[in-house]
Amino acid sequence: MDVSEAVGAGGLADDRALLGRTSTAERVADILRTRIAEGYFPPGTRLSEDGIAGALGVSRNTLREAFRLLTHERLLVHELNRGVFVRVLAVDDVDDIYRTRGLVECAVVRGLGQPPFSLDGLVATVAEGEAAARADDWQGVSTANIHFHRELVALAGSARTDELMRSVLAELRLAFHVVDDPRALHEPYLVRNREILDALRAGERTTAERLLARYLDDSRTRVTAAYARAVDARTGPTD
């Protein structure tokens, strides 16, 4: 699907202030990454160079460099003679994302050291998710859940790990935007986020890691199956 110049201008012009006086491709990429993660540009969307460059007030060369960065992060794909599109994941991609998450997130919890842990960020994201659920805002629950896992990884105090997980979780949301029942996808994990938080509050790092590993295994099974069904429904029967 195409995003017209009018839509691009209406949605992105407000983000121009984020660029400040030191406009860079990295900052443009940050804005577009956030918009992709929020579902503003759904998987399969063709991105208009003219519309986005005009809305953000940047040159086409700067925008193309931002596109290149996001292509490297596997959020965009360039199709010869057609343009740049938000990537549509394969089912195997979703499975691989969860394997990566398991390796990184469990290692972070395992390596936390001695309690007490700095948990203010996790506390805020659990409250964010529960408030979104009370408001029946299941996309908001999804966003809060992503925030929970980013805050969990941030406990490692590693900028490199933070950057890795930012990219991995943004890619995962490409799958979430295809599934048409976000409540069924995300509601079961509200309680489990709180259980992990409670274990870390109690200084029970081993328990928290066990809960997290089971959580990620269950989520991988649920999300992969839901995504496969959604992809099948979109493509329809084949001969």
Side-chain angles (χ1 to χ4, degrees), residues 144-173:
N145 192 46
I146 292 294
H147 291 167
F148 176 86
H149 289 277
R150 286 181 61 173
E151 289 293 339
L152 185 68
V153 169
L155 294 174
S158 165
R160 291 176 178 83
T161 306
D162 290 346
E163 184 176 355
L164 169 64
M165 288 307 296
R166 179 188 66 178
S167 177
V168 167
L169 292 171
E171 191 178 356
L172 178 62
R173 293 197 77 172

Side-chain angles (χ1 to χ4, degrees), residues 118-235:
S118 179
L119 301 176
D120 289 349
L122 282 182
V123 170
T125 62
V126 169
E128 177 189 358
E130 292 172 347
R134 288 193 297 271
D136 203 29
D137 175 11
W138 299 102
Q139 291 296 344
V141 171
S142 172
T143 297
N145 192 46
I146 292 294
H147 291 167
F148 176 86
H149 289 277
R150 286 181 61 173
E151 289 293 339
L152 185 68
V153 169
L155 294 174
S158 165
R160 291 176 178 83
T161 306
D162 290 346
E163 184 176 355
L164 169 64
M165 288 307 296
R166 179 188 66 178
S167 177
V168 167
L169 292 171
E171 191 178 356
L172 178 62
R173 293 197 77 172
L174 295 178
F176 289 167
H177 294 314
V178 172
V179 178
D180 61 4
D181 190 353
R183 177 171 186 168
L185 203 61
H186 302 299
E187 186 175 27
Y189 300 98
L190 287 166
V191 172
R192 299 176 80 164
N193 285 347
R194 182 165 286 284
E195 288 174 346
I196 292 168
L197 171 61
D198 289 345
L200 291 173
R201 273 175 163 165
E204 297 174 359
R205 185 184 59 195
T206 301
T207 299
E209 183 186 355
R210 175 177 53 79
L211 291 170
L212 177 62
R214 187 180 302 165
Y215 174 125
L216 291 174
D217 282 344
D218 291 347
S219 183
R220 176 171 65 176
T221 299
R222 179 184 292 266
V223 173
T224 301
Y227 186 73
R229 288 193 300 270
V231 170
D232 285 345
R234 284 190 168 201
T235 57

Side-chain angles (χ1 to χ4, degrees), residues 103-129:
L103 289 170
V104 174
E105 294 186 45
C106 290
V108 166
V109 174
R110 192 181 314 125
L112 283 179
Q114 295 302 312
F117 309 119
S118 179
L119 301 176
D120 289 349
L122 282 182
V123 170
T125 62
V126 169
E128 177 189 358

